[in-house]
Amino acid sequence: MEKLLVRGGNRLKGEIPISGAKNAALPLMIAALLTDETLTLHNTPRLADVALLQKILRNHGADTMIAGKKPGQSRFVGDTVHITAAEIIDTTAPYDLVSKMRASFWVLGPLLARCGEARVSLPGGCAIGTRPVDLYLKALSRMGAEIDVEQGYVIARAPKGRLHGARIVFPKVSVGATHVVLMAATLARGETVIENAAREPEVADVAECLVKMGAKIEGIGRSSLRIEGVERLHGAEHSIVADRIEAGTYAMAAAMTDGDVLLCGARAEHLSAFIDVMASAGVMATAEEGGLRVRRANGALQAVTVETQPFPGFPTDLQAQLMALMTRAQGVSSIRETIFENRFMHVQELVRLGADISLMGDTALVKGVEALKGAPVMATDLRASVSLVIAGLAAEGETEIHRLYHLDRGFEALEEKLRAVGADIERVAA
Ligand code: UD1
């Protein structure tokens, strides 16, 4: 077991390279199951979730290979991963693998589309809410799939081996359900229209890669997607989009310490709602050549009122980090979580560091305090964990963060990146 020690007080200054997006890397790797040719993904982040997904893909018969670094290449340049699913040898995704990472449930789409059948364990994943799969199952049945849920497994079959196109109107925006239907539709017979599709940049990144693989997709980046199914997809090469959540996280780390940081590779157009919230908080995030520069406008942080929304709104994946930042703002912030009902587990841990936060249903009221004080805390989920790091960077004394496996699922080289801009942070045996 390991823990992180963060000694607060240092201002972050310098450059932080932003990795490829975890939330694009995972569905892109899964998309490799749609073709018997090789999919090559550049800029793949080195994360526990990526390693686990490789294992899951291998279980279905895919070969996955990570190309070595070229001499002299920066440690922060992402990996190139080659995935070849020449033959699908097993259409079952077992509980022991799927339960470790919710996104692995998404293999359901490609397996069903390519093989006409799939048996996929219901997912586990982050403990941030009930996270049902009804939207996936209703949409796939509209595409002709016969679906049973038995003993914790979704068993899906396409009559005569192939799904057909359909008009899918999602009653609610779901990133995962959009990925799955989009992937399934590329190989279905006829046309599929997805209304109220997720517009997250990671969904657009996957759609762009699918087009390189031979898929016919219109409306990329919009809430209405039109997909004309093709007989087969082929191999392709794709570079994974920069991680807007990682960028937003380091932006808030910089703001928390009154620092000045260039987030190399970050894309302002993927962060516009976040940038607006930062502006009201007194933090300037401006697009520059090479990335996004972040520093405080002048002086203290100001309280904000925010609610999480699907893209292009303020992302739920930055809610915990914003809460950490607002613990040091002047005034009372109101942060409403509308996507996941149980995504406030970081509150009690931030309170341990001296934050003043009260919860009223889906809204947290955060009253800024003069100072936070270091304490031992526990990481509870991926984004919550990093909110504790942000708080620790501004806390007096030492913050000890336990249960790092959550952090390692989603943030590549976190301590190295933060240390390089001046943070006092180290990983030690717990
Ligand atoms: C993805 C992201 C996650 C992010 C989330 C919302 C990845 C790997 N994960 O998760 O980081 O926090 O989007 O931006 O990309 N829902 C249903 N029924 C369903 C499916 C979803 O009710 O069948 C609900 C969920 O419970 C939740 C909401 O829809 O309330 C949005 O969830 P969804 O967008 O599906 O999240 P994920 O794709 O799991």
Side-chain angles (χ1 to χ4, degrees), residues 260-335:
D260 183 344
V261 160
L262 180 66
L263 303 166
C264 303
R267 296 188 35 188
E269 71 272 27
H270 294 163
L271 285 158
S272 45
F274 168 76
I275 290 171
D276 290 347
V277 169
M278 285 300 103
S280 7
V283 177
M284 291 192 303
T286 31
E288 256 183 31
E289 198 175 326
L292 193 68
R293 176 159 308 274
V294 181
R295 55 177 174 256
R296 287 198 198 167
N298 43 24
L301 294 166
Q302 303 301 326
V304 294
T305 296
V306 173
E307 63 174 48
T308 59
Q309 288 294 338
F311 191 84
F314 189 92
T316 174
D317 286 349
L318 289 175
Q319 180 258 107
Q321 300 89 315
L322 178 69
M323 198 176 302
L325 183 65
M326 289 299 104
T327 61
R328 295 282 291 110
Q330 289 182 345
V332 181
S333 296
S334 162
I335 302 177

Side-chain angles (χ1 to χ4, degrees), residues 72-416:
Q73 210 169 29
S74 154
R75 152 93 179 83
F76 295 117
V77 172
D79 281 333
T80 291
V81 181
H82 305 280
I83 306 169
T84 316
E87 199 188 336
I88 303 290
I89 55 167
D90 191 344
T91 53
T92 294
Y95 174 75
D96 61 324
L97 294 176
V98 180
S99 60
K100 293 194 181 111
M101 179 179 50
R102 184 180 163 87
S104 51
F105 179 73
W106 301 346
V107 298
L108 177 64
L111 290 177
L112 185 58
R114 179 165 161 193
C115 310
E117 58 168 49
R119 186 170 167 270
V120 180
S121 168
L122 286 164
C126 273
I128 56 171
T130 47
R131 301 181 95 176
V133 293
D134 54 318
L135 300 175
Y136 299 73
L137 303 192
K138 275 191 201 130
L140 291 173
S141 0
R142 283 188 63 83
M143 298 175 76
E146 289 161 1
I147 298 179
D148 293 304
V149 180
E150 275 171 28
Q151 296 172 324
Y153 277 80
V154 172
I155 300 163
R157 274 182 213 88
K160 298 195 195 122
R162 195 169 174 199
L163 295 171
H164 58 69
R167 183 162 182 271
I168 314 285
V169 183
F170 282 124
K172 181 174 192 177
V173 177
S174 162
V175 171
T178 304
H179 280 311
V180 164
V181 172
L182 177 63
M183 289 194 259
T186 58
L187 290 179
R189 191 177 305 111
E191 183 183 88
T192 299
V193 173
I194 310 176
E195 301 288 2
N196 204 21
R199 284 180 283 164
E200 270 65 5
E202 296 77 24
V203 174
D205 202 40
V206 171
E208 274 160 21
C209 178
L210 290 169
V211 168
K212 289 178 192 163
M213 294 166 73
K216 293 192 176 151
I217 305 171
E218 279 174 27
I220 295 178
R222 297 205 293 268
S223 58
S224 178
L225 291 168
R226 186 178 295 270
I227 305 112
E228 181 67 41
V230 294
E231 289 289 326
R232 63 183 298 272
L233 296 179
H234 50 72
E237 245 182 81
H238 184 77
S239 187
I240 297 174
V241 66
D243 196 322
R244 66 197 162 97
I245 302 303
E246 189 196 24
T249 300
Y250 290 132
M252 289 192 272
M256 185 65 151
T257 65
D258 198 6
D260 183 344
V261 160
L262 180 66
L263 303 166
C264 303
R267 296 188 35 188
E269 71 272 27
H270 294 163
L271 285 158
S272 45
F274 168 76
I275 290 171
D276 290 347
V277 169
M278 285 300 103
S280 7
V283 177
M284 291 192 303
T286 31
E288 256 183 31
E289 198 175 326
L292 193 68
R293 176 159 308 274
V294 181
R295 55 177 174 256
R296 287 198 198 167
N298 43 24
L301 294 166
Q302 303 301 326
V304 294
T305 296
V306 173
E307 63 174 48
T308 59
Q309 288 294 338
F311 191 84
F314 189 92
T316 174
D317 286 349
L318 289 175
Q319 180 258 107
Q321 300 89 315
L322 178 69
M323 198 176 302
L325 183 65
M326 289 299 104
T327 61
R328 295 282 291 110
Q330 289 182 345
V332 181
S333 296
S334 162
I335 302 177
R336 179 162 175 247
E337 174 57 57
T338 72
I339 311 284
F340 294 112
E341 73 273 22
N342 190 23
R343 206 172 205 185
F344 280 139
M345 269 113 56
H346 44 286
V347 169
Q348 280 321 308
E349 302 303 303
L350 290 171
V351 167
R352 289 176 58 75
L353 297 171
D356 181 345
I357 306 173
S358 44
L359 279 180
M360 289 175 33
D362 61 2
T363 303
L365 296 177
V366 188
K367 187 161 179 256
V369 292
E370 274 301 310
L372 297 174
K373 293 209 167 62
V377 286
M378 189 94 78
T380 47
D381 74 52
L382 177 50
R383 311 301 177 184
S385 322
V386 84
S387 77
L388 301 174
V389 175
I390 292 178
L393 289 171
E396 290 167 3
E398 191 169 84
T399 300
E400 253 181 48
I401 305 171
H402 295 261
R403 290 219 188 144
L404 298 186
Y405 53 86
H406 292 294
L407 209 59
D408 295 335
R409 287 186 46 207
F411 287 89
E412 178 176 12
L414 176 105
E415 310 92 271
E416 273 179 69

Side-chain angles (χ1 to χ4, degrees), residues 9-30:
N10 293 3
R11 290 164 97 161
L12 303 189
K13 284 205 161 121
E15 297 186 352
I16 303 183
I18 299 304
S19 298
K22 170 184 89 85
N23 285 357
L26 302 178
L28 281 165
M29 291 171 72
I30 289 173

